[in-house]
Amino acid sequence: MEHEKFSVYIKTDNQGRIIGVNSDAFLSSLDGWTKIAEGHGDKFHHAQGNYLGNLMDENGVYRYELKNGKIKERTKKEMEADVQEQPKQPTDRERIEELERAFEGLNKVFTSIMQKFGLK
Amino acid sequence: MAITYTEHLQIPKHDPTDHFNIALINEGFDKTEAGILAAYRGSAAYNFLGNSNFEINQRGQSEYNSTGYSFDRWRFRSTNGGTVQKLAKGIRITTGTSGICGVYQRIATQDYTPVFDALAGEPVTLAIKISANTLSASGNSGLDLLDHNGTTTEGSGAVVIARKSIENGKTGIIVANGTMPTTMTNDGITALLRTPSTTVTGAIDIEWMALYKGTYTADTLPSYMPKGYAQELLECQRFYFRTIGQGYGYCTNTSAARLNIPIPVMMRAVPSVDNDSITITCHNNGNNITATGYSVAEMHGASIRLNLTSDAAFTRYTPLAGYASAEFGFSAEL
């Protein structure tokens, strides 16, 4: 019976960063995927977790890109730039300080109104 | 003089008053052979095939009608409408209008050699028990043990280690003998049952298949003994595990999270998710978030880690729970 080869496909974003790896054994459609290799064995059959390994680091930054038709590991500088681009969430301290400022502002407005009407 | 017999097997002893009692001599030979056969059959040997009686069926279909994995560990080849279905004991392959159908198990590949290593250079016997056979074709079925090495000794690029032709209508235990190669230099080893390649009608029922070390005939083959459901299931789950993908993890950033999905046993290799249409829903910091993507990252002991992405919807450094939109399989099949 057949002992077929498996083809490895990658998906990239608009900046060429590799955002997905899979083999033709598990892809229902090849639209948007680029074939990069074929062969026998786990590296090709189970490419998802075995061809490039971990696609992203702990910050969710993609580790590989497709450049001139070849897979290349992204540099530390390129990956750090991606981290800088990620939207930042305010810390709890920043949130409290912002609330304090907003409350102070409201308090000034309230005091001004009270004074205008001779209530304070 | 009265004839005397051995204590246990009742083999007649030599009659000194009638040295050439042919009937007595032959009775002795017959009972000796029967005793030896009973001894062979009474001892079970280790079956190197997994899910050999087709009981484990994590994919859950009662019938498979396309080429691909079917009952755990068994790949089905369907040609022109052929199907394979579960019976009370074993499976039934019903042929299509023409062309080969069959079931085959990949035993070893370059990435996975434990079964091959135990049998390298050894005589082996591939056996099958056919409980019913209504196939009608101009050719025969075949029981094969193949070594896929890319050469063209076979149409599929394989060398035959063991082969037995099975005539239409034949039932019972059938064996194929051969010797496993000494080194694994090739793409893999496969055990298979195939129906004729010509225009064919009918079906063949297979109760079990077995691969033993040693050379046996159908009469001397060790008694077939299934490994037990729990053991078979765990062994199969090293190759394929069906799950809803429920797990727990944490967010490493606003756009990234890790989800750890428990598995019952460490799999043979880092597996693939076999359904590319699923999405992952996460509960994080009071929010219900659908991840924009996921990828298989690592296998740690008895869990698979998925990396999840989102459009800045996660809360950094907070716990997360997640599950898939549909059941899927973690596949580490050969």
Side-chain angles (χ1 to χ4, degrees):
Chain A
M1 296 252 155
E2 69 273 8
H3 197 74
E4 72 276 25
K5 278 185 181 176
F6 297 99
S7 297
V8 179
Y9 289 80
I10 58 168
K11 187 177 263 194
T12 57
D13 63 9
N14 54 14
Q15 293 181 46
R17 292 176 290 207
I18 295 175
I19 60 173
V21 177
N22 212 333
S23 85
D24 57 350
F26 303 106
L27 282 170
S28 54
S29 165
L30 299 180
D31 289 344
W33 293 85
T34 305
K35 182 174 172 178
I36 55 163
E38 67 173 13
H40 293 288
D42 287 339
K43 186 177 171 184
F44 303 92
H45 186 185
H46 297 295
Q48 290 176 28
N50 295 288
Y51 194 81
L52 293 175
N54 221 331
L55 282 187
M56 56 180 78
D57 69 5
E58 64 275 8
N59 291 314
V61 175
Y62 291 107
R63 295 169 58 216
Y64 300 96
E65 60 180 351
L66 189 68
K67 208 164 189 177
N68 301 322
K70 290 197 172 149
I71 294 175
K72 178 181 153 297
E73 258 194 88
R74 300 177 72 216
T75 64
K76 195 174 168 188
K77 199 172 166 188
E78 286 168 333
M79 292 179 66
E80 278 170 0
D82 282 4
V83 175
Q84 295 303 318
E85 276 178 23
Q86 285 176 359
K88 294 212 175 357
Q89 280 176 337
T91 62
D92 286 347
R93 185 174 179 82
E94 285 167 348
R95 283 186 171 133
I96 290 168
E97 285 174 0
E98 190 172 335
L99 278 170
E100 285 174 343
R101 281 194 292 275
F103 181 75
E104 196 180 326
L106 274 173
N107 201 24
K108 281 183 182 171
V109 168
F110 182 71
T111 301
S112 164
I113 291 171
M114 294 284 282
Q115 285 170 349
K116 189 171 181 178
F117 287 99
L119 298 172
K120 194 173 180 182
Chain B
M1 177 179 163
I3 296 168
T4 57
Y5 294 85
T6 61
E7 181 184 354
H8 298 288
L9 297 182
Q10 295 297 296
I11 299 171
K13 295 183 181 180
H14 175 240
D15 179 1
T17 65
D18 186 0
H19 298 291
F20 301 103
N21 186 335
I22 301 299
L24 197 69
I25 293 168
N26 284 339
E27 185 185 346
F29 283 141
D30 287 341
K31 285 184 175 177
T32 301
E33 182 189 58
I36 292 170
L37 287 178
Y40 262 120
R41 290 177 185 148
S43 60
Y46 182 76
N47 188 346
F48 285 91
L49 294 182
N51 197 21
S52 57
N53 60 357
F54 312 98
E55 283 299 306
I56 310 298
N57 183 20
Q58 291 185 84
R59 291 173 180 84
Q61 294 170 229
S62 57
E63 180 181 281
Y64 296 88
N65 56 18
S66 59
T67 295
Y69 275 101
S70 58
F71 306 99
D72 281 54
R73 300 298 321 281
W74 293 98
R75 200 165 161 83
F76 174 57
R77 177 171 170 175
S78 169
T79 308
N80 292 325
T83 62
V84 62
Q85 63 186 129
K86 186 74 182 74
L87 302 175
K89 276 189 174 182
I91 57 172
R92 170 173 295 156
I93 297 174
T94 304
T95 58
T97 51
S98 65
I100 296 176
C101 290
V103 286
Y104 56 106
Q105 182 167 127
R106 288 175 181 151
I107 296 167
T109 66
Q110 293 269 26
D111 293 303
Y112 180 73
T113 61
V115 173
F116 176 81
D117 289 344
L119 299 173
E122 298 285 341
V124 291
T125 300
L126 180 64
I128 188 170
K129 183 175 179 188
I130 297 174
S131 50
N133 185 346
T134 61
L135 293 177
S136 175
S138 58
N140 291 336
S141 300
L143 178 67
D144 290 345
L145 187 63
L146 299 179
D147 177 5
H148 298 269
N149 67 355
T151 64
T152 55
T153 52
E154 273 285 283
S156 57
V159 173
V160 176
I161 299 170
R163 167 166 285 169
K164 188 72 176 181
S165 182
I166 303 171
E167 297 82 26
N168 295 325
K170 189 171 174 65
T171 59
I173 293 176
I174 295 146
V175 301
N177 301 121
T179 303
M180 200 68 101
T182 52
T183 54
M184 169 64 87
T185 58
N186 311 305
D187 296 332
I189 308 284
T190 303
L192 67 104
L193 181 280
R194 55 179 163 79
T195 63
S197 59
T198 55
T199 302
V200 57
T201 58
I204 185 167
D205 295 356
I206 304 169
E207 198 171 308
W208 49 258
M209 286 179 69
L211 177 66
Y212 298 127
K213 185 189 285 193
T215 301
Y216 301 101
T217 66
D219 288 329
T220 62
L221 196 73
S223 297
Y224 173 75
M225 189 177 292
K227 291 174 190 167
Y229 190 87
Q231 181 178 346
E232 286 280 20
L233 179 60
L234 262 184
E235 286 186 13
C236 287
Q237 286 174 335
R238 292 196 64 244
F239 294 82
Y240 185 79
F241 174 57
R242 196 89 184 146
T243 177
I244 189 58
Q246 186 167 299
Y248 301 92
Y250 53 96
C251 301
T252 54
N253 212 323
T254 57
S255 300
R258 295 179 171 187
L259 182 68
N260 297 301
I261 299 170
I263 51 177
V265 64
M266 194 163 181
M267 297 184 80
R268 182 192 66 76
V270 177
S272 304
V273 170
D274 75 345
N275 182 346
D276 65 354
S277 67
I278 61 163
T279 57
I280 306 286
T281 298
C282 310
H283 296 162
N284 167 240
N285 199 29
N287 298 310
N288 196 46
I289 302 162
T290 300
T292 51
Y294 66 87
S295 59
V296 176
E298 291 171 334
M299 179 169 57
H300 283 296
S303 71
I304 305 292
R305 176 157 70 82
L306 301 185
N307 283 345
L308 309 179
T309 53
S310 84
D311 287 332
F314 295 138
T315 303
R316 194 179 192 188
Y317 302 147
T318 57
L320 163 148
Y323 55 92
S325 55
E327 243 188 39
F328 64 91
F330 277 131
S331 169
E333 300 277 19
L334 294 175

